[in-house]
Amino acid sequence: MSVALRVIPCLDVHDGRVVKGVNFTKLRDAGDPVELAARYSAEGADELTFLDISASSDGRETTRGMVARCAETVFIPLTVGGGVRSVTDVDLLLRSGADKVGINTGALARPDAIGEIAATFGNQVLVLSLDARREAGMESGYGVTTHGGRRSAGVDAIAWAKEACDRGVGEILLNSMDADGTTDGFDLEMIRAVREVVDVPLIASGGAGTVEHFVEAARAGADAVLAASVFHYGTLTVNQVKDGLREAGFEVR
C-alpha cells in the first residue's frame, strides 16, 4: 500500500522567533512561530517541524513554551528538535505538546541515547535530524556536521543513518547543508544514497526553490518533503507543492 507523501514546513527558531538564512548564516527574522504554525496548518501542511537552532538551556525553556502555544493552536503533528540529549529532554518536549522529537548532536555524542529514547517512548517518536554535506575523505562522500553545519563530526553520513536506524530511530530528517537556503534544489544523490540503506520514512530537506524540486526529491525516494524559505517568504504555498506532486503522480494527503 502506498503511503501519502507529506509536505512539512520547517520553522528554525532562535530566541523565540522564526529565522531563516543561507547555509545557516545571515539569519533574517521570518515571524512569530505560533502565527506561522497557524498559517501553515490552514494551508494544509501535514506536519510542522521546529528546530531550536540556539538550544541553550534558556532556549529549551523558550522552545517548550512555544511548543505548548502551538499545540493549543494547531492540530497537526509537531516535531521539535534542538538540544535533545536524553529521555528526560524528550519527556519534557512531549509533555509540552510535541508529537515527535528530533535528535542530532546528542545522538552523535552518545549513540546509546537513541535506544534509550526508543525503548521508553517507541521509535515512532524519535527523528534523527541528520545535517550532512559533501566531504572529502568519507567513504560515501558525505559527512555529518554539527553546530549548524559549521563543524564536521568526522562521521560518514550514510553509515550514521544506517546505524541510527539500527539503534531505533523511527524517521530521518535529511538536511543538505550545502543546499540549505539556496533554493537551487535538493541534493538528490544524497537522498538516493540514504534511501538505499534505510527503510524508515525519509524527509528531504535543504534547497527547495520550485515545485519541481519537491517532485524530484519524491522521485529520489523521499517520503516527505520539508522546506522553510519558500514557504516563509511566500514564494510557494503548501497547496501549490501538493498540487504539483499530485500532477506528477504522487499521492498526497
Side-chain angles (χ1 to χ4, degrees):
M1 186 177 77
S2 64
V3 176
L5 202 77
R6 290 168 288 148
V7 178
I8 307 172
C10 180
L11 293 86
D12 295 318
V13 180
H14 176 67
D15 293 338
R17 296 288 292 179
V18 176
V19 296
K20 192 57 197 168
V22 177
N23 307 125
F24 277 63
T25 62
K26 300 178 183 174
L27 299 177
R28 289 192 291 159
D29 187 273
D32 175 76
V34 181
E35 290 175 8
L36 282 172
R39 184 179 108 197
Y40 293 139
S41 177
E43 283 184 10
D46 298 303
E47 297 180 11
L48 292 170
T49 292
F50 297 92
L51 298 178
D52 180 351
I53 63 172
S54 56
S56 64
S57 57
D58 288 346
R60 281 195 291 276
E61 290 286 348
T62 303
T63 301
R64 289 203 296 274
M66 178 268 298
V67 170
R69 287 187 292 128
C70 286
E72 292 168 0
T73 306
V74 303
F75 303 99
I76 55 177
L78 307 178
T79 298
V80 184
V84 172
R85 292 179 173 80
S86 67
V87 166
T88 300
D89 292 335
V90 174
D91 186 53
L92 287 169
L93 287 169
L94 294 177
R95 289 176 185 273
S96 298
D99 297 281
K100 294 186 280 189
V101 174
I103 190 168
N104 180 359
T105 308
L108 286 162
R110 200 172 67 85
D112 285 348
I114 294 173
E116 292 165 5
I117 293 165
T120 304
F121 303 104
N123 66 354
Q124 78 285 348
V125 158
L126 190 59
V127 180
L128 179 72
S129 186
L130 176 52
D131 294 338
R133 68 173 0 131
R134 292 169 189 265
E135 186 174 339
M138 293 294 167
E139 184 176 344
S140 70
Y142 293 99
V144 180
T145 70
T146 61
H147 300 81
R150 293 187 295 277
R151 291 189 199 171
S152 168
V155 174
D156 186 283
I158 310 305
W160 174 234
K162 184 176 187 309
E163 179 184 342
C165 289
D166 290 344
R167 286 178 175 271
V169 158
E171 190 167 45
I172 292 178
L173 168 52
L174 178 65
N175 187 36
S176 167
M177 299 309 298
D178 295 316
D180 178 80
T182 64
T183 68
D184 291 332
F186 294 91
D187 188 329
L188 304 178
E189 289 181 20
M190 186 164 71
I191 295 169
R192 292 188 192 103
V194 173
R195 178 78 287 164
E196 283 182 11
V197 300
V198 306
D199 56 10
V200 301
L202 178 60
I203 306 167
S205 169
T210 67
V211 170
E212 184 59 27
H213 290 156
F214 291 94
V215 173
E216 290 169 352
R219 287 181 177 142
D223 300 285
V225 284
L226 177 147
S229 303
V230 291
F231 294 142
H232 296 343
Y233 302 121
T235 309
L236 295 171
T237 66
V238 171
N239 281 324
Q240 284 174 317
V241 173
K242 288 191 168 188
D243 288 345
L245 289 164
R246 282 192 196 96
E247 288 170 13
F250 290 97
E251 181 185 349
V252 295
R253 296 182 183 180

